[in-house]
Amino acid sequence: MIKFNNVSKVYPNGVKALDGVNLEIEQGEFVAIIGLSGAGKSTLLRSINQMHPITGGELIVNGQDVSSLSGKSLRKFRRQIGMVFQSFNLVKRTTVIKNVLTARVAEMPWFKSLLGLYSKEDTLSALESLDQVGILDKAYSRADELSGGQQQRVALARCLAQKPQIILADEPVASLDPITAQQVMADFVKINEKTNITVIVNMHHVDLALNYAKRVIGIKAGQIVFDGPSSEVNEEVLELVYGRSLNDDEMMGVK
């Protein structure tokens, strides 16, 4: 479980990104966070693995007080949380499988990770992860030979190879064309349903959030203004989150 108790986040420049957030997310949920740029979506998402440490309140993840973690304990905690980024964050000049295997580095002795001496079990796990996202046939291709959608699938496979309990995805389809974006979102759904991994996605694409997530959280000026099933998101809710009605084009990417 992820539990925010009156959480706030104020950056050094004085910007208040989160303002008294109270929120609970159960294991196995698929949640989309929507809102305008600067509303606090990324801060909310990245506070979960302490990429953006909170400045007030309490944040409990799987029974651990995130604010109390540092050094070795924080690194160990982060192993249970996978992260998928908009920019894929792949090593483009190496193979797909080597990119996926980097997820296992934290579990290896330093000399083996330096030399790339992965175990048979890790290699099989990496291949299985690639199979789960439908690109096993690309395992020994260079990452820079793949399309954007395929590269994001590699990033998702790398995340799965980490064996996480939670996946955080920060605008994972923002740079993809609409058809590919739908395919990648379908991969997230399949993984969530098959593995019971909690998936939390931060999105500008309102239409995708409503079509693929079971629960939607709307954030405005650092505060939660809507939290409920995607089926309950209507024009009134969108006006509350965005301050206005959205046309069809805006539903495909509100920034």
Side-chain angles (χ1 to χ4, degrees):
M1 175 189 283
I2 301 166
K3 189 171 185 177
F4 290 76
N5 291 320
N6 198 32
V7 168
S8 61
K9 168 65 178 180
V10 181
Y11 287 104
N13 63 2
V15 172
K16 182 177 282 189
L18 298 177
D19 184 10
V21 170
N22 291 292
L23 181 66
E24 290 188 13
I25 299 173
E26 299 286 348
Q27 184 65 38
E29 287 198 82
F30 191 128
V31 181
I33 305 170
I34 62 171
L36 291 168
S37 293
K41 299 191 304 297
S42 287
T43 302
L44 181 67
L45 189 83
R46 294 176 181 225
S47 66
I48 293 170
N49 62 358
Q50 213 186 36
M51 287 182 70
H52 291 179
I54 64 173
T55 52
E58 182 183 52
L59 176 53
I60 306 296
V61 179
N62 292 339
Q64 292 184 285
D65 181 351
V66 175
S67 298
S68 69
L69 303 174
S70 62
K72 186 176 181 179
S73 63
L74 178 58
R75 290 193 296 272
K76 182 179 180 180
F77 165 76
R78 283 176 172 165
R79 291 176 197 168
Q80 62 183 299
I81 303 178
M83 190 89 189
V84 178
F85 300 90
Q86 176 181 342
S87 57
F88 318 141
N89 285 15
L90 302 180
V91 180
K92 299 291 184 67
R93 295 186 178 183
T94 193
T95 60
V96 163
I97 192 166
K98 285 184 178 179
N99 271 282
V100 176
L101 282 166
T102 60
R104 306 305 303 160
V105 167
E107 307 290 341
M108 298 167 58
W110 69 268
F111 67 92
K112 285 192 174 183
S113 63
L114 184 65
L115 298 173
L117 300 176
Y118 299 102
S119 69
K120 180 180 178 181
E121 289 76 13
D122 283 343
T123 301
L124 289 173
S125 176
L127 292 170
E128 181 182 353
S129 297
L130 287 168
D131 191 32
Q132 282 186 268
V133 296
I135 53 169
L136 179 59
D137 60 318
K138 302 294 183 182
Y140 296 97
S141 300
R142 275 179 38 144
D144 57 6
E145 296 174 351
L146 274 56
S147 67
Q150 289 171 332
Q151 289 187 45
Q152 192 59 292
R153 284 193 173 95
V154 176
L156 183 51
R158 178 182 58 195
C159 191
L160 289 173
Q162 189 178 324
K163 304 185 186 304
Q165 297 179 36
I166 300 166
I167 292 177
L168 307 177
D170 196 1
E171 298 292 350
V173 298
S175 61
L176 305 179
D177 64 81
I179 293 176
T180 306
Q182 292 178 43
Q183 293 169 342
V184 171
M185 289 301 296
D187 286 334
F188 278 108
V189 172
K190 180 174 66 175
I191 287 163
N192 168 255
E193 292 178 346
K194 182 177 180 180
T195 65
N196 201 44
I197 294 172
T198 304
V199 177
I200 307 173
V201 186
N202 161 20
M203 304 193 73
H204 286 305
H205 296 71
V206 179
D207 59 334
L208 294 180
L210 300 185
N211 288 336
Y212 291 94
K214 293 181 180 177
R215 177 181 173 189
V216 171
I217 294 170
I219 187 168
K220 183 178 183 180
Q223 297 182 328
I224 304 298
V225 295
F226 176 80
D227 182 3
S230 55
S231 59
E232 293 183 5
V233 177
N234 53 27
E235 187 172 332
E236 183 179 340
V237 169
L238 295 177
E239 286 185 2
L240 185 64
V241 175
Y242 295 101
R244 55 185 170 81
S245 299
L246 303 180
N247 59 38
D248 290 344
D249 288 339
E250 289 175 320
M251 290 284 285
M252 297 176 65
V254 185
K255 297 184 180 182

